[in-house]
Amino acid sequence: MDDRMNDAENESLAEETYRLLLADILSARLAGGSVVQQRRLASQRAVSRSPMRHALSRLEGEGLLVRNEKGVLCVRIITLKDYLDSLSMRMLLEPSAAAAAVANISAEELKALSAALDGIEADPDPDPELVWRFDDALHMSIASGSGNSFMAATIGEMRRYTTIFERQMPVVRAKPGVAEHRAILAALSERDSEAARQAMVRHLDAVRQGVLANY
């Protein structure tokens, strides 16, 4: 029994460590090219080396950590080509996800997303972390609402790369995409699949143009 409890605790700690490190990578607190030292990170996070080792191995398997020419583990640098390739995949998938989500996303979920967007729009200087959390919640709610788990997983993976790249850029707009997100939510609320598709196309195209104009 004790062994099983210890195994469960270790798995839980490894999962928590993974999520914390992933958040650091996505937010650029662990910037691209940063050397990852297992012992130092374990000390900083006050965890043993075993859960840290599992977390780092998982992130390496997902391609967010890579080995440099000397074999040293580093945070992957997301290049402009990586970004554009990932965004191209999103542009192929997310309009279809939005169209499909009109039949699945709940009114309660849409209400919560709209309320969060209202708060961002009303705040003259919103917390960037709240803006990013809203963006992730909206896009992943749509991905999940597509009803296609493979599509949702691919969108989630591609969003990791685009998020890392965008968060390492200078801030272009204090409240990016408010009008575009509002149009997406309106189409979802009206259960208009074609309007949702087109609103997502316009949004992702605006994101692409904004990044290219400010790169």
Short mmCIF file of all heavy atoms in Angstrom, two decimals, residues 65-112:
data_model
loop_
_atom_site.label_atom_id
_atom_site.label_comp_id
_atom_site.label_asym_id
_atom_site.label_seq_id
_atom_site.Cartn_x
_atom_site.Cartn_y
_atom_site.Cartn_z
N LEU A 65 11.89 21.05 -25.38
CA LEU A 65 13.29 21.04 -24.98
C LEU A 65 14.07 20.24 -26.01
O LEU A 65 13.58 19.22 -26.51
CB LEU A 65 13.46 20.41 -23.59
CG LEU A 65 12.75 21.11 -22.41
CD1 LEU A 65 13.02 20.34 -21.12
CD2 LEU A 65 13.19 22.56 -22.28
N VAL A 66 15.25 20.71 -26.34
CA VAL A 66 16.07 20.04 -27.36
C VAL A 66 17.52 19.99 -26.89
O VAL A 66 17.90 20.70 -25.96
CB VAL A 66 16.00 20.79 -28.72
CG1 VAL A 66 14.60 20.74 -29.29
CG2 VAL A 66 16.46 22.25 -28.55
N ARG A 67 18.32 19.16 -27.52
CA ARG A 67 19.74 19.08 -27.24
C ARG A 67 20.50 19.95 -28.24
O ARG A 67 20.26 19.87 -29.45
CB ARG A 67 20.22 17.63 -27.36
CG ARG A 67 19.51 16.66 -26.43
CD ARG A 67 20.08 16.69 -25.04
NE ARG A 67 19.28 15.88 -24.11
CZ ARG A 67 19.60 15.70 -22.84
NH1 ARG A 67 20.71 16.25 -22.36
NH2 ARG A 67 18.83 14.98 -22.05
N ASN A 68 21.42 20.77 -27.73
CA ASN A 68 22.24 21.56 -28.65
C ASN A 68 23.37 20.72 -29.21
O ASN A 68 23.45 19.51 -28.96
CB ASN A 68 22.75 22.85 -27.96
CG ASN A 68 23.71 22.57 -26.81
OD1 ASN A 68 24.25 21.48 -26.67
ND2 ASN A 68 23.93 23.58 -25.98
N GLU A 69 24.27 21.36 -29.96
CA GLU A 69 25.34 20.61 -30.63
C GLU A 69 26.28 19.94 -29.63
O GLU A 69 27.00 18.99 -29.99
CB GLU A 69 26.13 21.54 -31.56
CG GLU A 69 26.89 22.67 -30.88
CD GLU A 69 26.00 23.87 -30.56
OE1 GLU A 69 24.79 23.80 -30.86
OE2 GLU A 69 26.53 24.85 -30.04
N LYS A 70 26.27 20.40 -28.38
CA LYS A 70 27.10 19.78 -27.35
C LYS A 70 26.33 18.75 -26.52
O LYS A 70 26.87 18.19 -25.57
CB LYS A 70 27.68 20.85 -26.44
CG LYS A 70 28.62 21.82 -27.14
CD LYS A 70 29.17 22.86 -26.17
CE LYS A 70 30.12 23.82 -26.87
NZ LYS A 70 30.64 24.86 -25.94
N GLY A 71 25.08 18.53 -26.90
CA GLY A 71 24.26 17.58 -26.17
C GLY A 71 23.64 18.13 -24.91
O GLY A 71 23.08 17.37 -24.10
N VAL A 72 23.73 19.46 -24.72
CA VAL A 72 23.17 20.09 -23.53
C VAL A 72 21.69 20.39 -23.77
O VAL A 72 21.30 20.86 -24.84
CB VAL A 72 23.92 21.41 -23.21
CG1 VAL A 72 23.28 22.12 -22.02
CG2 VAL A 72 25.39 21.11 -22.93
N LEU A 73 20.87 20.12 -22.75
CA LEU A 73 19.43 20.33 -22.87
C LEU A 73 19.11 21.82 -22.78
O LEU A 73 19.54 22.51 -21.85
CB LEU A 73 18.71 19.57 -21.75
CG LEU A 73 17.20 19.39 -21.89
CD1 LEU A 73 16.87 18.57 -23.13
CD2 LEU A 73 16.63 18.71 -20.65
N CYS A 74 18.35 22.31 -23.75
CA CYS A 74 18.00 23.73 -23.83
C CYS A 74 16.53 23.87 -24.20
O CYS A 74 15.90 22.97 -24.75
CB CYS A 74 18.82 24.44 -24.92
SG CYS A 74 20.59 24.37 -24.70
N VAL A 75 15.99 25.05 -23.92
CA VAL A 75 14.64 25.39 -24.35
C VAL A 75 14.68 25.64 -25.86
O VAL A 75 15.56 26.36 -26.35
CB VAL A 75 14.10 26.64 -23.63
CG1 VAL A 75 12.70 27.00 -24.13
CG2 VAL A 75 14.09 26.42 -22.12
N ARG A 76 13.77 25.06 -26.57
CA ARG A 76 13.75 25.21 -28.02
C ARG A 76 13.53 26.67 -28.42
O ARG A 76 12.68 27.35 -27.85
CB ARG A 76 12.64 24.34 -28.62
CG ARG A 76 12.50 24.49 -30.13
CD ARG A 76 11.47 23.54 -30.68
NE ARG A 76 11.27 23.71 -32.10
CZ ARG A 76 10.50 22.91 -32.85
NH1 ARG A 76 9.86 21.89 -32.28
NH2 ARG A 76 10.37 23.11 -34.14
N ILE A 77 14.28 27.13 -29.39
CA ILE A 77 14.08 28.46 -29.97
C ILE A 77 13.04 28.34 -31.07
O ILE A 77 13.20 27.55 -32.01
CB ILE A 77 15.39 29.03 -30.53
CG1 ILE A 77 16.41 29.24 -29.40
CG2 ILE A 77 15.14 30.33 -31.27
CD1 ILE A 77 17.79 29.62 -29.89
N ILE A 78 11.95 29.09 -30.95
CA ILE A 78 10.91 29.09 -31.98
C ILE A 78 11.26 30.16 -33.00
O ILE A 78 11.24 31.36 -32.69
CB ILE A 78 9.52 29.34 -31.38
CG1 ILE A 78 9.25 28.36 -30.23
CG2 ILE A 78 8.44 29.23 -32.46
CD1 ILE A 78 9.31 26.91 -30.60
N THR A 79 11.59 29.75 -34.20
CA THR A 79 11.97 30.70 -35.25
C THR A 79 10.72 31.26 -35.93
O THR A 79 9.60 30.77 -35.72
CB THR A 79 12.82 30.00 -36.31
OG1 THR A 79 12.01 29.00 -36.97
CG2 THR A 79 14.04 29.32 -35.70
N LEU A 80 10.93 32.29 -36.75
CA LEU A 80 9.81 32.85 -37.50
C LEU A 80 9.19 31.79 -38.41
O LEU A 80 7.97 31.71 -38.53
CB LEU A 80 10.27 34.05 -38.33
CG LEU A 80 9.18 34.71 -39.20
CD1 LEU A 80 8.04 35.25 -38.35
CD2 LEU A 80 9.79 35.82 -40.07
N LYS A 81 10.03 30.95 -39.01
CA LYS A 81 9.49 29.88 -39.87
C LYS A 81 8.66 28.90 -39.05
O LYS A 81 7.58 28.48 -39.49
CB LYS A 81 10.61 29.14 -40.58
CG LYS A 81 10.08 28.08 -41.57
CD LYS A 81 11.20 27.38 -42.30
CE LYS A 81 10.63 26.45 -43.38
NZ LYS A 81 9.67 25.47 -42.88
N ASP A 82 9.16 28.52 -37.86
CA ASP A 82 8.38 27.65 -36.98
C ASP A 82 7.02 28.28 -36.69
O ASP A 82 5.99 27.60 -36.73
CB ASP A 82 9.10 27.43 -35.64
CG ASP A 82 10.36 26.61 -35.76
OD1 ASP A 82 10.47 25.80 -36.70
OD2 ASP A 82 11.24 26.78 -34.90
N TYR A 83 7.06 29.57 -36.37
CA TYR A 83 5.82 30.29 -36.05
C TYR A 83 4.85 30.27 -37.22
O TYR A 83 3.67 29.93 -37.06
CB TYR A 83 6.14 31.73 -35.65
CG TYR A 83 4.91 32.56 -35.44
CD1 TYR A 83 4.16 32.46 -34.28
CD2 TYR A 83 4.47 33.43 -36.43
CE1 TYR A 83 3.01 33.20 -34.10
CE2 TYR A 83 3.32 34.19 -36.26
CZ TYR A 83 2.59 34.07 -35.09
OH TYR A 83 1.44 34.80 -34.91
N LEU A 84 5.33 30.66 -38.39
CA LEU A 84 4.45 30.74 -39.56
C LEU A 84 3.93 29.36 -39.96
O LEU A 84 2.77 29.22 -40.36
CB LEU A 84 5.18 31.40 -40.72
CG LEU A 84 5.53 32.89 -40.52
CD1 LEU A 84 6.36 33.40 -41.69
CD2 LEU A 84 4.26 33.72 -40.36
N ASP A 85 4.77 28.34 -39.85
CA ASP A 85 4.32 26.98 -40.16
C ASP A 85 3.24 26.53 -39.18
O ASP A 85 2.23 25.92 -39.58
CB ASP A 85 5.50 26.00 -40.11
CG ASP A 85 6.44 26.15 -41.30
OD1 ASP A 85 6.07 26.84 -42.27
OD2 ASP A 85 7.55 25.57 -41.25
N SER A 86 3.43 26.83 -37.89
CA SER A 86 2.44 26.46 -36.89
C SER A 86 1.14 27.23 -37.10
O SER A 86 0.05 26.66 -37.00
CB SER A 86 2.98 26.75 -35.48
OG SER A 86 4.15 26.02 -35.23
N LEU A 87 1.26 28.51 -37.41
CA LEU A 87 0.07 29.32 -37.63
C LEU A 87 -0.67 28.85 -38.88
O LEU A 87 -1.91 28.87 -38.93
CB LEU A 87 0.44 30.79 -37.75
CG LEU A 87 -0.73 31.78 -37.76
CD1 LEU A 87 -1.55 31.67 -36.47
CD2 LEU A 87 -0.23 33.21 -37.95
N SER A 88 0.07 28.41 -39.89
CA SER A 88 -0.57 27.88 -41.10
C SER A 88 -1.40 26.65 -40.77
O SER A 88 -2.51 26.47 -41.31
CB SER A 88 0.49 27.53 -42.15
OG SER A 88 1.10 28.69 -42.66
N MET A 89 -0.90 25.79 -39.89
CA MET A 89 -1.67 24.63 -39.46
C MET A 89 -2.93 25.07 -38.72
O MET A 89 -4.02 24.51 -38.92
CB MET A 89 -0.81 23.74 -38.57
CG MET A 89 0.26 22.96 -39.30
SD MET A 89 -0.45 21.78 -40.46
CE MET A 89 -1.28 20.66 -39.33
N ARG A 90 -2.78 26.07 -37.85
CA ARG A 90 -3.96 26.58 -37.15
C ARG A 90 -4.98 27.16 -38.13
O ARG A 90 -6.19 26.98 -37.96
CB ARG A 90 -3.54 27.65 -36.13
CG ARG A 90 -2.77 27.11 -34.94
CD ARG A 90 -2.41 28.22 -33.98
NE ARG A 90 -3.61 28.90 -33.49
CZ ARG A 90 -3.60 30.04 -32.81
NH1 ARG A 90 -2.44 30.64 -32.54
NH2 ARG A 90 -4.73 30.59 -32.40
N MET A 91 -4.49 27.84 -39.16
CA MET A 91 -5.41 28.44 -40.14
C MET A 91 -6.14 27.38 -40.95
O MET A 91 -7.25 27.61 -41.43
CB MET A 91 -4.64 29.40 -41.04
CG MET A 91 -4.11 30.63 -40.29
SD MET A 91 -3.05 31.73 -41.27
CE MET A 91 -4.29 32.65 -42.17
N LEU A 92 -5.53 26.21 -41.08
CA LEU A 92 -6.20 25.10 -41.75
C LEU A 92 -7.28 24.48 -40.87
O LEU A 92 -8.34 24.06 -41.35
CB LEU A 92 -5.19 24.03 -42.14
CG LEU A 92 -4.27 24.31 -43.33
CD1 LEU A 92 -3.22 23.21 -43.44
CD2 LEU A 92 -5.06 24.41 -44.62
N LEU A 93 -7.00 24.40 -39.56
CA LEU A 93 -7.86 23.64 -38.65
C LEU A 93 -8.87 24.47 -37.87
O LEU A 93 -10.02 24.04 -37.70
CB LEU A 93 -6.99 22.87 -37.65
CG LEU A 93 -6.06 21.79 -38.23
CD1 LEU A 93 -5.19 21.21 -37.13
CD2 LEU A 93 -6.88 20.70 -38.91
N GLU A 94 -8.47 25.62 -37.37
CA GLU A 94 -9.33 26.34 -36.42
C GLU A 94 -10.61 26.90 -37.04
O GLU A 94 -11.65 26.93 -36.35
CB GLU A 94 -8.55 27.43 -35.70
CG GLU A 94 -7.62 26.85 -34.64
CD GLU A 94 -7.11 27.88 -33.66
OE1 GLU A 94 -7.88 28.37 -32.82
OE2 GLU A 94 -5.90 28.20 -33.76
N PRO A 95 -10.62 27.35 -38.30
CA PRO A 95 -11.91 27.76 -38.86
C PRO A 95 -12.92 26.60 -38.88
O PRO A 95 -14.10 26.79 -38.56
CB PRO A 95 -11.55 28.22 -40.27
CG PRO A 95 -10.14 28.72 -40.13
CD PRO A 95 -9.50 27.74 -39.18
N SER A 96 -12.45 25.41 -39.23
CA SER A 96 -13.34 24.24 -39.22
C SER A 96 -13.76 23.89 -37.80
O SER A 96 -14.92 23.50 -37.56
CB SER A 96 -12.64 23.03 -39.86
OG SER A 96 -12.38 23.26 -41.23
N ALA A 97 -12.83 24.03 -36.84
CA ALA A 97 -13.16 23.77 -35.45
C ALA A 97 -14.24 24.74 -34.96
O ALA A 97 -15.18 24.35 -34.26
CB ALA A 97 -11.91 23.89 -34.58
N ALA A 98 -14.11 26.01 -35.34
CA ALA A 98 -15.09 27.01 -34.94
C ALA A 98 -16.46 26.71 -35.53
O ALA A 98 -17.49 26.84 -34.85
CB ALA A 98 -14.63 28.40 -35.36
N ALA A 99 -16.48 26.30 -36.79
CA ALA A 99 -17.75 25.96 -37.42
C ALA A 99 -18.41 24.77 -36.73
O ALA A 99 -19.64 24.76 -36.53
CB ALA A 99 -17.53 25.65 -38.90
N ALA A 100 -17.61 23.78 -36.35
CA ALA A 100 -18.17 22.60 -35.69
C ALA A 100 -18.58 22.90 -34.25
O ALA A 100 -19.53 22.30 -33.73
CB ALA A 100 -17.14 21.47 -35.71
N ALA A 101 -17.87 23.83 -33.61
CA ALA A 101 -18.12 24.10 -32.19
C ALA A 101 -19.47 24.74 -31.92
O ALA A 101 -19.98 24.67 -30.80
CB ALA A 101 -17.01 25.00 -31.63
N VAL A 102 -20.09 25.35 -32.93
CA VAL A 102 -21.39 26.00 -32.70
C VAL A 102 -22.43 25.00 -32.20
O VAL A 102 -23.37 25.38 -31.50
CB VAL A 102 -21.90 26.72 -33.97
CG1 VAL A 102 -20.92 27.79 -34.43
CG2 VAL A 102 -22.18 25.73 -35.09
N ALA A 103 -22.25 23.73 -32.54
CA ALA A 103 -23.23 22.72 -32.14
C ALA A 103 -22.91 22.13 -30.77
O ALA A 103 -23.75 21.42 -30.20
CB ALA A 103 -23.28 21.60 -33.18
N ASN A 104 -21.72 22.42 -30.24
CA ASN A 104 -21.29 21.72 -29.02
C ASN A 104 -20.97 22.63 -27.84
O ASN A 104 -21.16 22.22 -26.70
CB ASN A 104 -20.04 20.88 -29.34
CG ASN A 104 -20.30 19.84 -30.41
OD1 ASN A 104 -21.28 19.11 -30.34
ND2 ASN A 104 -19.43 19.76 -31.40
N ILE A 105 -20.48 23.81 -28.10
CA ILE A 105 -20.06 24.68 -27.00
C ILE A 105 -21.30 25.19 -26.26
O ILE A 105 -22.29 25.58 -26.89
CB ILE A 105 -19.19 25.84 -27.52
CG1 ILE A 105 -18.47 26.53 -26.38
CG2 ILE A 105 -19.97 26.81 -28.36
CD1 ILE A 105 -17.33 27.45 -26.83
N SER A 106 -21.27 25.14 -24.94
CA SER A 106 -22.46 25.44 -24.16
C SER A 106 -22.68 26.94 -24.00
O SER A 106 -21.75 27.75 -24.09
CB SER A 106 -22.36 24.81 -22.77
OG SER A 106 -21.38 25.47 -22.00
N ALA A 107 -23.94 27.30 -23.74
CA ALA A 107 -24.27 28.70 -23.49
C ALA A 107 -23.55 29.22 -22.26
O ALA A 107 -23.12 30.39 -22.22
CB ALA A 107 -25.78 28.85 -23.33
N GLU A 108 -23.39 28.37 -21.26
CA GLU A 108 -22.70 28.78 -20.02
C GLU A 108 -21.23 29.09 -20.32
O GLU A 108 -20.68 30.06 -19.79
CB GLU A 108 -22.79 27.67 -18.98
CG GLU A 108 -24.19 27.45 -18.41
CD GLU A 108 -25.10 26.69 -19.36
OE1 GLU A 108 -24.59 26.10 -20.36
OE2 GLU A 108 -26.32 26.69 -19.12
N GLU A 109 -20.61 28.27 -21.15
CA GLU A 109 -19.21 28.49 -21.49
C GLU A 109 -19.06 29.79 -22.27
O GLU A 109 -18.13 30.58 -22.02
CB GLU A 109 -18.69 27.31 -22.31
CG GLU A 109 -17.18 27.23 -22.38
CD GLU A 109 -16.71 25.89 -22.92
OE1 GLU A 109 -17.56 25.05 -23.30
OE2 GLU A 109 -15.48 25.68 -22.95
N LEU A 110 -19.97 30.02 -23.20
CA LEU A 110 -19.93 31.26 -23.99
C LEU A 110 -20.15 32.48 -23.10
O LEU A 110 -19.50 33.52 -23.28
CB LEU A 110 -20.98 31.21 -25.09
CG LEU A 110 -20.70 30.22 -26.23
CD1 LEU A 110 -21.90 30.14 -27.16
CD2 LEU A 110 -19.46 30.64 -27.01
N LYS A 111 -21.04 32.34 -22.13
CA LYS A 111 -21.30 33.45 -21.21
C LYS A 111 -20.06 33.79 -20.40
O LYS A 111 -19.72 34.97 -20.22
CB LYS A 111 -22.46 33.10 -20.29
CG LYS A 111 -22.88 34.22 -19.34
CD LYS A 111 -24.07 33.81 -18.49
CE LYS A 111 -24.47 34.92 -17.53
NZ LYS A 111 -25.65 34.52 -16.70
N ALA A 112 -19.37 32.77 -19.92
CA ALA A 112 -18.16 32.98 -19.14
C ALA A 112 -17.06 33.62 -19.98
O ALA A 112 -16.35 34.53 -19.52
CB ALA A 112 -17.68 31.66 -18.55
#
